[in-house]
Amino acid sequence: MEAPSGASNASAYHAEMDGDTKIPLILFPTCVMEAMAPAVGEAVVRTLRDRGFAPSIPPDATCCGQPAWNAGYPEEAATVARTTLAALTDAPSGPVCVPAGSCATMMRVYWPELFRRVGDEEARAAAVEIADRIVEFTRLVADDRRQADRQGTVAYHHSCHMLRELHIHDEPVALLTDAGYAVADWDDDDRCCGFGGLFSVKEPEISVAMADEKIDGLPLDGIEALVGSDLSCLLQLEGRMRRRGIDLPVRHIAELLDPSGPTDVR
Amino acid sequence: MSDDLRTRATEALADRGLHEALARATDRFVEIRRAGDDVANLDALKRAARWQRHRVMERLPEILERFADAVGRAGGVVHWAADAAEANDIVGDLAARHAVRTVVKSKSMLTEEIGLNEALEAVGIDVVETDLGEWIVQLAGDRPSHILGPAIHYTRERVAELFSARAGEELPPDPEVLCAYARASLRERFLEADMGISGCNFGVAETGTVVLVTNEGNGRMVTSVPPIHVVVMGMERIVETWDQLDLMMTLLPRSATGQQLSVYTTQVTGPRRDGEIDGPDELHVVIVDNGRSHVLGTGAHEMLHCIRCSACLNVCPVYRQIGGHAYGSVYSGPMGAVLTPLLDPSPAATELANASSLCSACHEVCPVGIPLQDLLLLRRADNAAGGAPAAFRAWAKVWSRPAAYRASIAAVQTGARMVPDTFVPSAWTDGRTVPRPRGRGSLRERLARGEI
């Protein structure tokens, strides 16, 4: 099957679906998810299957290279990104689903620039080639809207890259409300959480102050969980909340969409 | 510049009053800017503006020459200053030649950049800032902390204290009373001033016109009351045509203060002509390079497109926390973090590239589409030109080998479970608790084995 072009093309894949046949899909799991939240990865897999995809992870894919790229080390970023790019290029055609807005941005938006910067024309061309196939998780899933009656009120954190580089704003909120959850008003839900990769280590005081202002604005009395689509932002916010003694559950959106997940948010 | 960014930021963060003032002021700026989203085709205008700025910069020397010729034809005198010292000398010589004792100034970040006030004061000249915010900062012996709202870090109570001390009587923290006091005080200074110094929002090359955007009316006083008017202008603050100015003027007030048009848009073409009632006898335009021409033709050239609207400061989550002074430079926020090291690549300036989480909010609001987050990344890469630290080189080695990557993921997972507080740098765990891993084992192996 040829991969249709465009960022959000699951419906095109669905059009080619035949009964119960699942559409092959490459899942790029992200290093943070593999190391810190394999359970979230399972929820991602089950959600994708529920929407008609057959996800597989290319065994040789590693990391997108973003930590080094954002820190100002393009050579090191390219060394790592090249490995993943090759693994994805060798994998079957079809969408490459990335369950993190930030990694999806790195691969879709910044890879061509990264390889241009280090003078690797072959990799740059391959990155341009694959860019259209890179799809952030909620954008892919939102092409197949499902109504359900799950319970709970959550706050949703709009992560920066997803919002301002991939321009994904409505999809995750629509997925949550479709599933039955209420999404609470949260002032400045689109302001940066303060993670920023190495920024959180180089300027920890500013980073924590940014997290604090986000957390201070949470309507804690009216919500049962904080939800987002980027585990790294969620680690930052959860890490700060735990230190402050706030035990609000923090969930990746896939956990709330997981067909075998709990029917209420806790 | 004192200390390092982290030290200055930590001091700023400890000042809760500062944070409240910043949050209130930047929220207000963002809120009023939304009123400027009234034009239906804003995004198209921004793209057009980006392109027009490119067109000007491609031919900057030629356009500057054209501007200088036109200023001359209109009766003004153009001076070229390669750096801050030259610019200050030019203005100082003009002041000496006319025995200037008092100077009134309208707001100009460039004069802050070159330290003009200090240079004039050093030869005994009384320099009076007449923009309300600048005047507040000057009275306090402070520095501006925002390119548009110099006193953004002050509460009205603090302003009342300053004014009361100067007035010798108790003034209430009431904006109307405080403004009335400032107006009365500054009016005297306008009338006695021997020289007016202004900045320049845009020079228009085809007519040699200097355009100033102000809201308080002080700019008009500075440019028309004293017998000599000196414009200090950054060499990039120029458009070629009035059509280009039209586009910039559609975007600048909207991006700055959400206004469709600023209260005053002053257009100065030459000094007072025969038969005119107002205006100076002499008009001098000092065109300042001070590092700008080095930026032309580099990967960061788009920074010269900046029209100083300050929208990027107001949306920046880092600026919001630490304010302008913590940047340790005249320009702050995202534009300051990019521009400052371009003008002067000292270690203290280049370090400012770290004052960003790369959230892109700055790029989103920039009226001329400057990719500020990309320019910050470029600076970070330049800062690391000597090579990545050993940790990153090792990381690249391991994570470019799939088997080694998989092994390290398992190790990180174990580490995060067994010794969560010691497997990440203490700078992270000083303020945060590493969450326990959710789930265990290898996601990819379990998926491959059909266990999910």
Side-chain angles (χ1 to χ4, degrees), chain B residues 7-40:
Chain B
T7 309
R8 292 190 306 265
T10 305
E11 285 167 10
L13 288 167
D15 184 347
R16 292 316 293 170
L18 171 66
H19 178 67
E20 274 167 38
L22 285 169
R24 195 163 49 228
T26 53
D27 278 348
R28 175 83 185 124
F29 268 124
V30 168
E31 185 190 318
I32 61 179
R33 195 197 70 242
R34 293 205 174 107
D37 293 347
D38 60 322
V39 279

Side-chain angles (χ1 to χ4, degrees), chain B residues 183-344:
Chain B
R183 179 174 292 134
S185 305
L186 289 170
R187 184 63 54 133
E188 296 165 17
R189 311 310 302 270
F190 284 123
L191 295 174
E192 69 190 27
D194 309 304
M195 176 186 273
I197 298 178
S198 75
C200 169
N201 288 99
F202 295 104
V204 187
E206 61 184 353
T207 53
T209 303
V210 170
V211 178
L212 290 168
V213 175
T214 65
N215 277 317
E216 297 169 11
N218 64 312
R220 201 155 278 189
M221 300 287 279
V222 164
T223 58
S224 62
V225 177
I228 309 159
H229 174 201
V230 178
V231 179
V232 185
M233 167 185 173
M235 64 180 280
E236 84 288 9
R237 308 303 295 280
I238 192 156
V239 293
E240 185 171 23
T241 66
W242 282 81
D243 279 348
Q244 285 174 337
L245 180 74
D246 179 27
L247 178 58
M248 297 304 153
M249 287 302 299
T250 304
L251 291 168
L252 175 59
R254 282 180 167 83
S255 301
T257 48
Q259 291 168 291
Q260 294 170 342
L261 202 59
S262 48
V263 176
Y264 297 91
T265 304
T266 304
Q267 303 159 6
V268 177
T269 311
R272 178 167 53 84
R273 295 181 194 90
D274 289 344
E276 288 180 344
I277 299 167
D278 295 317
D281 300 327
E282 291 185 23
L283 172 72
H284 296 268
V285 181
V286 185
I287 301 176
V288 182
D289 183 330
N290 205 33
R292 286 161 175 75
S293 56
H294 296 305
V295 184
L296 281 172
T298 69
H301 69 100
E302 279 197 71
M303 196 57 226
L304 295 178
H305 296 186
C306 177
I307 59 173
R308 308 288 193 271
C309 70
S310 81
C312 64
L313 277 67
N314 299 329
V315 298
C316 178
V318 172
Y319 179 89
R320 178 187 180 85
Q321 296 299 333
I322 64 176
H325 290 165
Y327 289 77
S329 54
V330 169
Y331 304 104
S332 59
M335 61 77 63
V338 175
L339 181 63
T340 304
L342 287 172
L343 298 180
D344 166 29

Side-chain angles (χ1 to χ4, degrees), chain A residues 34 42 59 70 165 240 255, chain B residues 380 405-406 431 438 446:
Chain A
E34 287 196 280
E42 294 180 24
N70 280 359
E165 301 291 345
R240 183 56 186 166
E255 297 175 89
Chain B
R380 288 186 187 181
Y405 165 83
R406 292 191 294 267
R438 314 261 310 276
R446 296 195 53 226

Side-chain angles (χ1 to χ4, degrees), chain A residues 27 29-42 45-46 49 55-63 65-77 79-80 83-84 110 117 160-161 163-165 188 191-192 194-210 213 216 234-236 238-240 242-243 250-252 255, chain B residues 5-6 9-10 13 16 19 23 27 34 315 317-318 320-322 351 354-364 373-374 377-378 380-382 384-385 387-389 392-393 395-403 405-406 409 412-414 416-417 421 423 425 427-444 446-447 450-452:
Chain A
L27 175 62
T30 82
C31 58
V32 175
M33 184 174 281
E34 287 196 280
M36 295 298 290
V40 173
E42 294 180 24
V45 167
R46 284 190 294 266
R49 283 214 187 101
S56 64
I57 300 174
D60 287 351
T62 64
C63 161
Q66 180 169 223
W69 170 247
N70 280 359
Y73 311 124
E75 291 291 347
E76 284 69 22
T79 301
V80 171
T83 307
T84 295
Y110 281 110
R117 187 83 61 82
C160 297
H161 279 143
L163 190 62
R164 301 190 188 92
E165 301 291 345
D188 305 312
R191 183 178 293 140
C192 180
F195 178 65
L198 198 61
F199 171 76
S200 66
V201 177
K202 278 204 163 173
E203 305 297 336
E205 293 82 11
I206 307 175
S207 170
V208 164
M210 288 162 73
E213 197 177 11
D216 290 342
L234 296 179
L235 286 175
Q236 156 89 350
E238 182 174 1
R240 183 56 186 166
R242 297 300 173 262
R243 178 60 55 93
V250 175
R251 298 283 180 261
H252 186 276
E255 297 175 89
Chain B
L5 169 65
R6 193 171 162 189
T10 305
L13 288 167
R16 292 316 293 170
H19 178 67
D27 278 348
R34 293 205 174 107
V315 298
V318 172
R320 178 187 180 85
Q321 296 299 333
I322 64 176
E351 189 203 14
N354 295 332
S356 170
S357 61
L358 302 174
C359 81
S360 293
C362 46
H363 179 218
E364 189 177 52
Q373 79 286 17
D374 292 350
L377 270 173
L378 196 63
R380 288 186 187 181
D382 286 349
F392 268 98
R393 292 202 307 272
W395 169 84
K397 211 163 262 179
V398 174
W399 281 22
S400 57
R401 293 170 191 157
Y405 165 83
R406 292 191 294 267
I409 287 293
V412 169
Q413 206 184 97
T414 306
R417 186 169 289 112
D421 289 339
F423 95 110
W428 209 89
T429 52
D430 282 349
R432 290 154 286 209
T433 299
V434 180
R436 290 286 191 279
R438 314 261 310 276
R440 52 173 73 227
S442 165
L443 177 70
R444 57 180 72 197
R446 296 195 53 226
L447 179 63
E451 293 173 14
I452 301 170

